[in-house]
């Protein structure tokens, strides 16, 4: 049975947990993913880190396939949009606590389980 991605659920939960602990949630996105709409001037090495605390953004939506919100960058309003596949992690600015998400490659074949361990007698 194929299940939907757990990322949006975990993202919402960790976001709430970070806020409940009085910390600032920082979202880490892969800005190179098709469909990601972020301010290019803040992208470093293909990634962007965004403060998604309620005081920094408006209308945060974390849906099954995408996330979006309105943010301000040097006083200029901008709508941020990213497919859920672009989410790399969410961490608290203050201590780095949070969660990282493995990249999900839809094209990659399922990993084959390793065979028995190869042991060699060393004398």
């Amino acid at each position: 049975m194929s299940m939907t991605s757990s990322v949006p659920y975990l993202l919402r939960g960790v976001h709430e947990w970070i806020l409940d602990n009085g910390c600032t949630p920082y979202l880490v996105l892969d800005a190179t993913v098709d469909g990601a709409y972020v301010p290019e001037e803040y992208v470093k090495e293909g990634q962007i880190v965004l403060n998604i605390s309620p005081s920094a953004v408006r209308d945060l939506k974390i849906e099954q396939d995408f996330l979006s919100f309105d943010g301000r960058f040097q006083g200029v309003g901008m709508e941020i949009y990213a497919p859920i596949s672009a989410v790399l992690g969410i961490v608290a600015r203050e201590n780095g606590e949070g969660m990282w998400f493995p990249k999900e490659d839809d094209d990659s074949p399922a990993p084959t389980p390793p065979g028995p361990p190869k042991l060699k007698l060393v004398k």
Side-chain angles (χ1 to χ4, degrees):
M1 178 179 154
S2 178
M3 294 180 69
T4 59
S5 172
S6 61
V7 172
Y9 299 93
L10 297 169
L11 194 58
R12 285 189 287 265
V14 174
H15 178 256
E16 184 178 335
W17 172 72
I18 289 171
L19 291 173
D20 285 352
N21 282 279
C23 293
T24 310
Y26 272 22
L27 179 69
V28 184
L29 294 178
D30 178 346
T32 67
V33 169
D34 280 350
Y37 185 68
V38 300
E40 293 295 324
E41 59 271 29
Y42 298 98
V43 173
K44 289 186 178 66
E45 296 178 10
Q47 298 180 4
I48 188 166
V49 179
L50 301 161
N51 176 347
I52 57 168
S53 66
S55 62
V57 303
R58 287 195 337 263
D59 299 327
L60 176 64
K61 293 181 184 71
I62 302 172
E63 303 293 342
Q64 191 59 45
D65 300 324
F66 71 93
L67 64 87
S68 66
F69 59 87
D70 293 326
R72 295 189 82 68
F73 298 87
Q74 295 186 334
V76 178
M78 179 176 181
E79 182 179 359
I80 304 300
Y81 178 92
I84 285 296
S85 60
V87 175
L88 299 175
I90 181 171
V91 295
R93 181 190 72 197
E94 292 76 5
N95 58 20
E97 291 285 321
M99 182 174 276
W100 294 95
F101 302 102
K103 289 302 293 167
E104 294 175 359
D105 289 331
D106 295 332
D107 308 340
S108 66
T112 54
K118 310 272 190 284
L119 300 175
K120 187 168 98 179
L121 185 59
V122 179
K123 294 185 179 176

